[in-house]
Amino acid sequence: MRDAAAQIIDRIQLARDSRTTLRIAGQGSKAELLGSRRGDVLLDLTSHCGVEQYRPEELVITARAGTSLDEVNQTLAEKGQCLAAEPPGYKSRGTVGGVVASGLSGPSRPFRGSLRDTVLGVVMVNGLGERLKFGGEVFKNVAGFDVARLMVGSEGAFGVLLSVSLRVAPLDPAIGCFRKAMPASDAVSSMRAWALKPLPLTGLAWVDGVLHWRIAGAPSVVEATRVKLAGEEDDPTFWTALRDRSLPCFSTLVNSRALVPPSTPPDGDDVCIDWAGSLRWRRGDSTSINNVSKIGESPLCGSGVDPLLIRIKAAFDPGRIFNPDLLHADITA
């Protein structure tokens, strides 16, 4: 019996020959944020799952695209390691392929890097049905173009991920979570000032009139920073809820998100401010801030898509069989 990867390639080649479009999907956990994709046939990747290789001593894990994020996190935790970018799992339905395709990072992103920074290599299938491997399974990998990281945030527009190699990090020996009530303007000023100092921060966010911060490291460092920044003890589950967009404000108030310079003054439309000021979750249709994406819509569906991405789409998927509603802007590429 052919394995799941071979069956996926067979289905892609059949779609190529019959000019059938494919809607690539895992558990669908990002649909509420990025919208649902269209296509003639569903290409379900959830059966292609499991950790292929894990080398704790080299800080590298390789997993198939359909592997649940929970399984990866549990495997890493058993060895005292984690994904530093803490990508969102969204009600425990996130998969490795979905995490990379969406390119989403958690609250630690300003301090420990983005998900893109952790991707070392991928195995994928392009629109011609060819199995391709980019990158590798080591930190120092400089041969050729960095196509592996190009797949991060592509939402399946360029090809179907089969497996991904990710760099991992040690778990922190101690973590402290704290909070202090203050208006948004004061919170943004504090975020900016603290982010520029050598503090062991792993999270800075404001929501509902409260500034939240998280610090991590050796117990003595956490304690010294706690005293320095003051504030009251906070519930650690706040950061999980923020990461997975399960705070109450996300279901009742937020309808867009924006990436801005961290010192951008807040306005009445900012409901939640994350990433030390850089990520704004907003309400209303205000155009006072650029680079706004509506909840439920992919930024790759709009008319402002970079023409270079459209040319890359044409090279990897000339028949436009993968998620054809993406990178289809009316732009001369």
Side-chain angles (χ1 to χ4, degrees):
M1 182 177 180
R2 294 171 67 76
D3 63 16
Q7 293 178 33
I8 291 171
I9 294 174
D10 287 344
R11 293 190 64 185
I12 293 172
Q13 292 174 341
L14 178 62
R16 174 202 63 193
D17 296 340
S18 62
R19 298 185 179 181
T20 301
T21 60
L22 297 173
R23 176 167 60 90
I24 306 169
Q27 295 287 354
S29 62
K30 315 297 188 301
E32 183 180 343
L33 178 63
L34 298 174
S36 299
R37 305 280 73 84
R38 67 174 179 85
D40 299 326
V41 178
L42 171 67
L43 182 60
D44 187 344
L45 302 181
T46 54
S47 62
H48 185 54
C49 58
V51 174
E52 290 185 345
Q53 191 174 50
Y54 177 34
R55 300 196 298 274
E57 69 284 357
E58 297 184 23
L59 302 177
V60 176
I61 190 169
T62 301
R64 300 183 182 96
T67 310
S68 73
L69 190 59
D70 280 355
E71 179 182 346
V72 170
N73 287 334
Q74 181 178 351
T75 300
L76 295 175
E78 291 173 356
K79 296 294 185 179
Q81 296 179 343
C82 66
L83 296 175
E86 55 178 338
Y90 292 146
K91 300 177 182 178
S92 297
R93 294 189 295 121
T95 61
V96 170
V99 161
V100 173
S102 64
L104 300 176
S105 303
S108 64
R109 192 246 183 268
F111 312 101
R112 296 191 166 175
S114 68
L115 180 71
R116 177 175 281 106
D117 298 326
T118 72
V119 174
L120 300 175
V122 301
V123 177
M124 61 169 287
V125 185
N126 65 8
L128 300 176
E130 300 170 330
R131 181 176 181 141
L132 306 173
K133 181 176 182 179
F134 298 102
E137 299 171 355
V138 295
F139 291 173
K140 294 184 178 180
N141 181 28
V142 296
F145 296 105
D146 197 358
V147 177
R149 292 178 180 175
L150 178 66
M151 298 296 289
V152 179
S154 66
E155 299 184 41
F158 303 144
V160 175
L161 288 170
L162 292 181
S163 64
V164 182
S165 295
L166 298 167
R167 174 169 56 88
V168 303
L171 285 170
D172 295 298
I175 297 174
C177 301
F178 306 94
R179 54 180 283 162
K180 182 185 294 185
M182 65 177 67
S185 57
D186 291 347
V188 169
S189 296
S190 295
M191 288 180 184
R192 185 61 176 161
W194 292 0
L196 294 176
K197 294 179 180 179
L199 299 171
L201 292 162
T202 62
L204 262 178
W206 175 91
V207 63
D208 291 335
V210 177
L211 175 64
H212 302 258
W213 63 94
R214 184 178 58 184
I215 53 182
S220 59
V221 173
V222 170
E223 175 60 20
T225 307
R226 180 194 70 78
V227 173
K228 184 175 184 178
L229 299 182
E232 61 185 81
E233 294 274 347
D234 197 8
D235 183 353
T237 61
F238 166 82
W239 295 99
T240 303
L242 175 62
R243 180 197 68 190
D244 292 345
R245 295 180 60 249
S246 60
L247 293 172
C249 66
F250 287 107
S251 60
T252 59
L253 298 175
V254 172
N255 60 18
S256 66
R257 59 185 177 127
L259 296 176
V260 301
S263 59
T264 301
D267 60 31
D269 282 339
D270 286 329
V271 175
C272 174
I273 303 175
D274 195 6
W275 290 4
S278 295
L279 176 60
R280 309 288 173 94
W281 298 96
R282 298 169 58 78
R283 70 179 132 215
D285 298 320
S286 172
T287 57
S288 61
I289 290 182
N290 296 323
N291 299 321
V292 176
S293 299
K294 290 184 177 181
I295 302 299
E297 294 182 9
S298 168
L300 300 183
C301 288
S303 59
V305 175
D306 188 336
L308 175 60
L309 296 179
I310 298 176
R311 294 199 294 271
I312 295 173
K313 168 74 170 174
F316 276 88
D317 181 22
R320 299 195 59 83
I321 65 173
F322 299 133
N323 293 348
D325 50 338
L326 298 177
L327 298 178
H328 207 291
D330 187 16
I331 297 175
T332 302

